[in-house]
Structures are given as structure tokens and as C-alpha cells.
Amino acid sequence: MSTADRQDTGAFAAPLSEGERNLWFLWKRAHEVIRTRVADDVRDATGLSEPDVAVLVQVDDAGGHVRQNRLAVRLGWDRTRLAHHLARMETRDLISRQKLDDGVQVILTATAQRLIDMIRPIHATAVRRHLIDPFTTRQVEHLREALDRISNDPTHD
């Protein structure tokens, strides 16, 4: 690999400035603080962990049932991690799994549906309190635009 090739890949990129490092660490901290506060509010009210809620909401959003492989993709989880988590959720009557010829279907139970109905307003209140309410309407719109730009930038795929 030539020097020019390494420079193109960023191998010789200048170190982050103090301001850039501070921005990076603020970003990481803000994400963790908000995510943790929202998850704690939901857990305190329902007893469900953040992964439990993520699974339940994804299955509910899929119509109450979804293929296990598809659920792994939707969550961004390794299939093994998901299988182990679903087994624990199944023992708590939150989901059931049905073997199919070409996979496994994950289905919400009536217990899970009642919990989802309870989770949604708690989650909405927590998101508003920890992410939206600290800002003005204009600041929220700027934040949304910045996050959308980061999330949808095709140069980072």
C-alpha cells in the first residue's frame, strides 16, 4: 500500500483536536444518559429491561408476530443473543415461539400486549422529559435535522 493509499483511508489522519474529542465524549455521554434515563423510567414502572421492551415493541410494530430472523435484523442483534433472550422471555409468558418449516415465528402473548399498552405512554413521557423538554422547539428541530443527516449520510454506509 502506498503512502497516498494510506492517506486516502485516513491512516495518517491528524489526531482529534481537544474540541473534537470533547464533542465525541459529550455525544457518547448524552446518548448514554438519555437512553439510561428512559430505560430506567420504563423499568421502574413495568419491571421490564430495555432489551425486553425493545423486543416487545418490535414484535408489536410488526403486527404482533414476526419471524425470529427478521426480528434479529430489526433489533440489530446477533441471532444467538436473540434466541437466548427470547427463551427467557418465553418463560415469563411475554412471547411464544412457533416452529415453522423455514424458521421460527415470535408471537406476543396477551400478557405482553397488556404490558405494551402500559409501556407506550410511560416511554413517551420519559422521552419527552429527557430528550425533548430540555430544548426549545427550534432546538429540537435542529437536533432532528442533525441526527437525520448523520443517520442517512450515504458516505458512511
Side-chain angles (χ1 to χ4, degrees):
M1 178 183 284
S2 74
T3 302
D5 291 337
R6 281 187 292 232
Q7 287 174 334
D8 288 344
T9 64
F12 292 113
L16 293 175
S17 69
E18 187 171 338
E20 291 168 331
R21 283 177 37 85
N22 286 340
L23 178 61
W24 172 245
F25 288 118
L26 282 170
W27 163 258
K28 286 176 48 175
R29 176 80 176 132
H31 169 264
E32 282 302 311
V33 165
I34 292 169
R35 188 190 58 74
T36 300
R37 287 178 182 167
V38 170
D40 288 350
D41 286 359
V42 173
R43 187 194 64 245
D44 291 348
T46 66
L48 295 172
S49 69
E50 185 178 24
D52 289 339
V53 171
V55 168
L56 294 178
V57 168
Q58 286 295 323
V59 177
D60 187 53
D61 285 351
H65 56 87
V66 66
R67 296 292 181 113
Q68 188 167 317
N69 284 343
R70 178 73 183 129
L71 181 58
V73 170
R74 290 176 77 138
L75 290 167
W77 289 8
D78 175 84
R79 290 179 183 159
T80 303
R81 174 188 180 195
L82 179 60
H84 288 293
H85 195 81
L86 291 176
R88 291 188 298 272
M89 291 180 75
E90 201 165 19
T91 65
R92 294 181 292 146
D93 191 38
L94 296 173
I95 58 102
S96 63
R97 290 185 285 180
Q98 178 182 17
K99 282 218 178 256
L100 304 173
D101 289 339
D102 59 346
V104 176
Q105 184 90 336
V106 178
I107 305 160
L108 292 178
T109 65
T111 301
Q113 192 58 60
R114 285 190 299 276
L115 285 167
I116 289 168
D117 293 343
M118 185 170 54
I119 289 166
R120 288 196 187 274
I122 294 164
H123 181 264
T125 298
V127 168
R128 287 184 187 108
R129 180 177 22 190
H130 301 299
L131 177 63
I132 297 169
D133 292 348
F135 300 106
T136 66
T137 303
R138 183 179 173 117
Q139 288 171 325
V140 169
E141 189 53 38
H142 285 193
L143 179 60
R144 182 186 335 275
E145 289 170 4
L147 295 174
D148 184 57
R149 185 172 185 175
I150 291 167
S151 298
N152 294 307
D153 184 349
T155 64
H156 291 97
D157 289 342

